[in-house]
DNA sequence: AAGATTATTGACACCGGTTACCAAAATGAC
DNA sequence: GTCATTTTGGTAACCGGTGTCAATAATCTT
């Protein structure tokens, strides 16, 4: 622990105190703080020692003023899934832990027509260095354009590449879903239902594509009756479950576009006395806490949300995170999701 | 929408531009911004009109520097329950929506012995006006003392009053739990199990007190074997369920100190073929998303977390939130939780 | 060794507000 | 009408850093 040295008057020491102690100008101290090149090793050490001795911490407000930019990155989200947001946050914090940056969180209201203005005011006021857009608002091109105009860097997080790679972090929803569904087919399932996410969500579209892809490969069709449209909420899963399981020839497996809806379907199955996974296999998506809190535990897709948070931060502000944080140019902005197999999938019942 | 007037050079207009346009000094403009008294109505209007015309927004960084204080409030948390944190956040944002304030989020690592230092550096750097401490770290007195020393206002959120009322927002866990357990007793349950939260958590202690209170009122005892110790996680609920339900004379009802553990107990019940709520009633606490995502839906206690967030903000910085946000001196800092009755509770089985 | 180059450092203005303090104007008392 | 008192507006310094550009020191050429 550094000595809690205070400048004259018991206040926080300033750059001037450091300069005086080290016998250099404040500009030189500033150079040390900002890791400027063009510094003698000797000078640097003298300054660093003075900083250490005084316990000097640069005042972010002053820097923000001089830089015309706050040392902040903003997280803009409108995500119904709290765990996702928080995990992502955690990933971002992992990345910025040892930097000067702090994280500003800003939920936005996707529905509101003032949304864009709200965000504009927010960005103009706070002047963060950059902003991270979580899905679904990451899919809004106007928002990205706004950042661009305001000179705020941005990164869009999504289920698929939404933009130029330097503005993107994504997972590979389509491929993993296809893989999961192939697994169902391999276990003998032929009557496979699908619960889609809400219209207008890229993630919903990607997951659907993956599902269709796997079905097509196996030469299977998706009857209209097997195609339920949900909105990522539990209640819509309940509705979908009621519809699909009331059919004369119900599916033996259902892929749900997220875990909440999967939980809804499973609840209905329990209510109808349909055994999961004996008579009905269910797969979800997200690996949210719900996935393990329901019984039987849900086979689902886990996207590496925390890693995506770190990556997003590193993509956004590589130059602020110190050496080693840079994203190598050959790193793909696509972080792979994985299928987590638990207890909600079994082979198709024989009597079909 | 105000005209997007830009100052000379297409940049954001500054206080100087406003002063020039209004034909006054920047100090006068500053007075108008800060609602100083001692101003002619005429002057004020001239300035306000100039502000309007230019679309001037005071630069928060400059103000922060001059004020020696950032227009930020911090949310410090180390909460395993993401939904709780996010709901609280939302409540805070409701409260600060129309103010100049922004919200800084800072997860802290309760376990780390550097925690206090980390928080100190954070607060010294960011210099927020105030900090809100969520449980369980709100129970840490050193943290509160640190805020006090640093001149950062603080509010502690908890299951019970942790401090002076002006530093507190809390819910009434004990009372509601007692009420819930009385309900079980009224439905004929006599063998009631308890799954406790982790040692050292005030919330765990409060819920236990409420539970014991209700039992004592009815003249019931809690056998040791009925008293399971969990840690608020699903897995510990599973263990507790295994222990309690393997007893020769198992409980007919179990109160779990949070929903995740309740979900664990319920999973075990399903596994053992014990009907919920027919043979076993279960009550949880939190009304987390899990509560409705499991089947049958969980009877649980909902604490008004979003309201608590608003209240915390209003308690913390009443003078920054504009007229009407002040917490009346006779408002209690205790916001009541409510019992949400769903499908996991029924009368005690007759064969007992 | 002198002059040319280049690497380091410092002086000073400036970022956009605020406060401290002083001057001018307005008001009231006599 | 003059002087003391209260309002109001202006000037300068300051908050704690950074940018520009010139000055100085170090290194290289020939």
């Amino acid at each position: 622990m550094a000595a809690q040295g205070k400048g004259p008057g018991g206040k926080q020491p300033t750059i001037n105190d450091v300069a005086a102690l080290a016998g250099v100008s404040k500009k030189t101290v500033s150079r040390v703080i900002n890791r400027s090149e063009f510094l003698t090793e000797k000078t640097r050490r003298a300054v660093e020692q003075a900083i250490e001795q005084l316990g000097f911490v640069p005042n972010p407000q002053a820097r923000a003023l001089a830089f015309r930019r706050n040392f902040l990155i903003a997280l803009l989200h409108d995500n119904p899934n709290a765990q996702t947001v928080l995990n992502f946050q955690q990933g971002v914090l992992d990345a910025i832990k040892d930097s000067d940056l702090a994280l500003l969180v800003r939920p936005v209201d996707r529905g509101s027509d003032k949304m864009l203005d709200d965000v504009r005011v927010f960005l103009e006021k706070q002047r963060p260095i950059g902003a991270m857009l979580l899905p679904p608002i990451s899919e809004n091109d106007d928002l990205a354009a706004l950042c661009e105009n305001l000179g705020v860097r941005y990164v869009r997080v999504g289920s698929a590449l939404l933009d130029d790679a330097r503005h993107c972090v994504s997972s590979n929803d389509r491929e993993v879903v296809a893989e999961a569904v192939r697994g169902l087919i391999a276990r003998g399932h032929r009557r496979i239902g699908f619960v889609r996410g809400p219209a207008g969500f890229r993630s919903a579209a990607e997951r659907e594509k993956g599902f269709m892809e796997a079905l097509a490969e196996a030469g299977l069709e998706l009857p209209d009756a097997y195609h339920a449209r949900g909105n990522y909420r539990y209640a819509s899963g309940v509705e979908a479950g009621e519809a699909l399981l009331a059919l004369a020839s119900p599916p033996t497996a259902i892929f749900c576009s997220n875990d909440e809806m999967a939980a809804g379907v499973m609840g209905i199955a329990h209510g109808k006395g349909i055994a999961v996974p004996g008579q009905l296999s269910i797969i979800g998506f997200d690996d949210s806490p719900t996935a393990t809190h329901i019984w039987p535990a849900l086979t689902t897709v886990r996207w590496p949300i925390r890693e995506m948070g770190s990556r997003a931060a590193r993509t956004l502000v590589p130059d602020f995170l110190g050496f080693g944080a840079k994203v190598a140019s050959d790193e793909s902005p696509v972080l792979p999701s994985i299928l987590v197999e638990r207890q909600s999938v079994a082979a198709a019942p024989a009597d079909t």
Side-chain angles (χ1 to χ4, degrees), chain A residues 8-307:
Chain A
K11 315 204 61 138
Q12 290 276 339
T14 75
I15 198 172
N16 291 308
D17 303 326
V18 175
L21 181 61
V24 298
S25 73
K26 53 193 284 201
K27 179 62 208 182
T28 300
V29 177
S30 166
R31 288 198 174 95
V32 173
I33 297 171
N34 293 294
R35 301 194 186 77
S36 157
E37 5 180 14
F38 312 131
L39 274 182
T40 321
E41 196 49 35
K42 196 179 113 208
T43 318
R44 181 193 309 278
R45 259 202 298 269
V47 173
E48 275 169 355
Q49 200 198 322
I51 289 178
E52 174 77 11
Q53 189 176 331
L54 292 171
F56 166 70
V57 179
N59 177 316
Q61 285 74 48
R63 300 183 82 193
L65 180 57
F67 261 134
R68 280 97 162 275
R69 193 110 283 182
N70 238 326
F71 281 61
L72 251 31
I73 58 182
L75 175 56
L76 270 39
H77 72 88
D78 178 16
N79 198 304
N81 187 331
Q83 190 63 50
T84 299
V85 175
L86 231 58
N87 281 349
F88 189 90
Q89 255 182 38
Q90 195 56 57
V92 173
L93 286 156
D94 291 344
I96 68 174
K97 191 174 40 186
D98 296 320
S99 74
D100 294 332
L101 268 27
L103 176 65
L104 209 51
V105 175
R106 172 74 186 196
V108 306
D109 183 2
R110 182 174 62 254
S112 164
D113 51 349
K114 299 202 314 297
M115 188 265 270
L116 226 48
D117 278 329
D118 285 352
V119 174
R120 179 207 307 287
V121 170
F122 172 76
L123 293 178
E124 280 180 346
K125 261 198 184 168
Q126 298 301 331
R127 293 180 168 276
I129 294 170
M132 294 171 295
L133 313 178
L134 245 47
I137 56 161
S138 57
E139 294 163 18
N140 185 325
D141 290 327
D142 293 340
L143 212 47
L146 177 64
C147 292
E148 189 79 57
N149 287 340
L150 259 34
V152 174
R153 310 178 190 196
Y154 67 92
V155 167
R156 304 166 76 170
V157 178
S159 325
L161 292 177
L162 293 162
D163 201 325
D164 189 300
R166 69 179 195 289
H167 292 308
C168 263
V169 174
S170 90
S171 65
N172 58 345
D173 285 16
R174 213 186 70 224
E175 294 171 35
V176 193
V177 171
E179 179 195 329
V181 176
R182 278 185 213 113
L184 289 176
I185 295 171
R187 284 166 176 244
H189 291 277
R190 291 295 174 272
R191 304 207 309 270
I192 306 177
F194 181 71
V195 184
R196 195 188 194 278
F201 278 48
R202 186 62 181 268
S203 61
E206 287 296 314
R207 293 168 202 182
E208 184 173 39
K209 274 189 208 158
F211 181 85
M212 293 309 207
E213 216 169 276
L215 247 57
E217 284 167 17
L220 295 174
E221 297 258 309
L222 180 70
D224 255 12
Y226 279 15
H227 192 181
R229 285 151 206 287
N231 61 8
Y232 281 158
R233 298 181 180 281
Y234 179 81
S236 73
V238 169
E239 286 173 28
E242 269 164 354
L244 294 177
L245 299 177
L247 293 174
S249 166
T252 61
I254 300 181
F255 177 90
C256 302
S257 296
N258 80 347
D259 291 345
E260 271 60 43
M261 299 195 297
V265 170
M266 192 179 288
I268 291 298
H270 286 141
K272 289 183 179 290
I274 298 173
V276 177
Q279 298 170 266
L280 176 68
S281 292
I282 301 180
I283 298 185
F285 196 109
D286 273 349
D287 196 21
S288 71
T290 295
T292 48
H293 293 170
I294 59 179
W295 185 88
L298 193 64
T299 290
T300 185
V301 175
R302 174 191 301 153
W303 45 314
I305 184 70
R306 186 163 175 169
E307 287 71 24

